[in-house]
Amino acid sequence: MQSGDIIIREARKSDLPALIAMFAADPLGGHGDTTDPEAYPDYAGAFATITASSNQTLHVAERDGDVVGTFQTVITTSLNGRGSSAMIIEAVHTRADLRGQGIGARMIEFAIAEAKSRGVRRVQLTSNAVRKDAHRFYERLGFKPSHIGFKMALK
């Protein structure tokens, strides 16, 4: 590996502080992420749930030993489409100071390759409506805006 190479791998529990800091630094996410140590058990519990699932994977992008990006994949299978499966890509983040360096593209390319290797028929994702740069990024990678998403907060 040359200096600056991006490695995509499954996240480890030891990555949580870097991931939490990345999410907490996001001014547009609005998810209430925080580096407050009292919130750590919430993140650790979510990590345990994700890693226990055979249909979910939390990935990190690493460069020179530092976590520089992350994304999560979820495989769902439904009856429509003759029982087809889809990969949902969630929580895509590149560290703010490193955006525009190809890290996000590398993560998405990895996810697509993983979906193909698993025989998944479709890859899909959602993006916050205010993230216009992200929308252009996803379209540049071949994604097409095709649906309108709806959310309802329960807490």
Side-chain angles (χ1 to χ4, degrees):
M1 173 178 84
Q2 298 174 3
S3 178
D5 285 350
I6 299 298
I7 296 171
I8 308 294
R9 61 170 174 78
E10 285 192 37
R12 299 185 284 256
K13 192 169 184 182
S14 60
D15 297 320
L16 281 178
L19 296 174
I20 294 165
M22 196 179 321
F23 292 136
D26 178 14
L28 298 178
H31 300 287
D33 290 301
T34 178
T35 56
D36 183 334
E38 289 185 19
Y40 185 83
D42 296 335
Y43 295 105
F47 181 82
T49 298
I50 293 164
T51 57
S53 171
S54 62
N55 291 325
Q56 298 186 68
T57 308
L58 181 63
H59 292 90
V60 297
E62 182 181 279
R63 183 169 69 189
D64 296 332
D66 292 327
V67 172
V68 297
T70 186
F71 65 98
Q72 181 177 344
T73 59
V74 181
I75 304 288
T76 64
T77 302
S78 62
L79 287 176
N80 69 332
R82 299 175 65 180
S84 66
S85 294
M87 175 183 278
I88 302 167
I89 304 172
E90 284 286 322
V92 178
H93 280 275
T94 298
R95 216 171 69 192
D97 61 323
L98 299 173
R99 291 188 183 136
Q101 298 183 24
I103 297 166
R106 177 75 180 90
M107 292 189 297
I108 298 299
E109 289 163 0
F110 182 94
I112 292 168
E114 178 67 18
K116 287 178 180 178
S117 76
R118 292 183 65 170
V120 171
R121 184 171 150 188
R122 178 181 68 251
V123 175
Q124 62 191 43
L125 53 83
T126 60
S127 180
N128 188 314
V130 301
R131 295 184 184 277
K132 302 301 181 191
D133 290 340
H135 302 166
R136 286 187 292 276
F137 166 73
Y138 292 127
E139 287 180 24
R140 196 169 60 248
L141 293 176
F143 288 84
K144 306 284 183 228
S146 64
H147 290 69
I148 296 174
F150 296 91
K151 292 185 179 185
M152 177 189 294
L154 300 178
K155 261 189 174 180

